[in-house]
Amino acid sequence: MTKTVTDTLTGMYFTLDDPDGSYASGQIIRLAAEGVYLVRFDGNEVPLPLELVSLGEMLGTTEEEYKLWRFFDTIEERDKWIEWIDTPSTPRVISLVRPSK
């Protein structure tokens, strides 16, 4: 009897949050074994070697229950997320004093 393994992550792009506030990005290359994927992190100059990552690691969260891994269907979606996250927010000033008449 053959057991079929469902693979829904191969080809997807990702970002991975680091505890220091930075992030890494890359692509899921292929299923290596049930529940384990070969991923390639983006390098600055050259592609980095493939790494094995389990589904358990991909489902990891911080102590505050924030997801560490975010998945995207296309590189454009991932790049749009990265652009949004890297854009500094503009501070807003809220006046707590009522104007006098």
Side-chain angles (χ1 to χ4, degrees):
M1 184 179 223
T2 304
K3 185 176 180 183
T4 304
V5 177
T6 303
D7 176 14
T8 58
L9 294 176
T10 293
M12 294 192 80
Y13 296 88
F14 66 85
T15 61
L16 169 61
D17 292 345
D18 289 328
D20 67 0
S22 64
Y23 61 87
S25 62
Q27 183 179 20
I28 300 171
I29 302 301
R30 72 178 183 87
L31 185 66
E34 186 174 358
V36 180
Y37 287 87
L38 284 167
V39 302
R40 175 168 283 136
F41 286 92
D42 295 334
N44 291 338
E45 310 252 337
V46 295
L48 299 175
L50 298 176
E51 293 187 30
L52 290 172
V53 179
S54 71
L55 280 176
E57 290 175 88
M58 291 179 186
L59 295 174
T61 61
T62 64
E63 290 179 10
E64 297 83 21
E65 298 299 318
Y66 291 109
K67 294 179 184 177
L68 297 173
W69 290 70
R70 289 182 185 80
F71 300 97
F72 305 90
D73 289 325
T74 66
I75 197 166
E76 290 81 15
E77 289 175 358
R78 186 193 68 187
D79 290 348
K80 188 175 178 180
W81 170 262
I82 290 172
E83 182 181 338
W84 178 80
I85 207 77
D86 285 346
T87 303
S89 60
T90 54
R92 292 186 277 163
V93 177
I94 300 172
S95 176
L96 299 177
V97 178
R98 288 186 186 168
S100 58
K101 294 183 181 180

